[in-house]
Amino acid sequence: MKIAIDAGHGPETPGKRTPDDSMREFHFNSVVARYVRDELKQYDGVETLFTHADDGSRDVPLQERM
């Protein structure tokens, strides 16, 4: 089974942050995405793929994620 994990917008996407600007969407979602990937590793036959740039180097456009 293949599972795609997407952490959402990249770290520099305007407007994708908490109201007080203390955290951006990517910083929270990327931690959750890595946790999910690590948990899924325990199952045989499960392959995971990130559709986002795991290092936050760029905001991967939606067209590339499909």
Side-chain angles (χ1 to χ4, degrees), residues 1-52:
M1 173 187 298
K2 294 181 182 180
I3 299 174
I5 302 169
D6 190 311
H9 296 93
E12 301 307 318
T13 302
K16 308 305 181 204
R17 63 194 82 195
T18 57
D20 66 358
D21 201 28
S22 64
M23 182 180 290
R24 296 182 183 230
E25 174 186 336
F26 180 80
H27 296 128
F28 178 83
N29 289 355
S30 63
V31 171
V32 173
R34 285 191 294 274
Y35 176 81
V36 169
R37 177 199 58 201
D38 293 346
E39 288 296 308
L40 290 171
K41 283 182 181 179
Q42 67 181 311
Y43 297 99
D44 292 331
V46 174
E47 180 182 339
T48 59
L49 164 73
F50 283 157
T51 60
H52 60 280

Side-chain angles (χ1 to χ4, degrees), residues 5-11 13 26 50-54 56-66:
I5 302 169
D6 190 311
H9 296 93
T13 302
F26 180 80
F50 283 157
T51 60
H52 60 280
D54 188 31
S57 60
R58 69 187 191 103
D59 191 355
V60 179
L62 185 58
Q63 286 298 101
E64 286 184 41
R65 296 178 190 199
M66 297 178 155

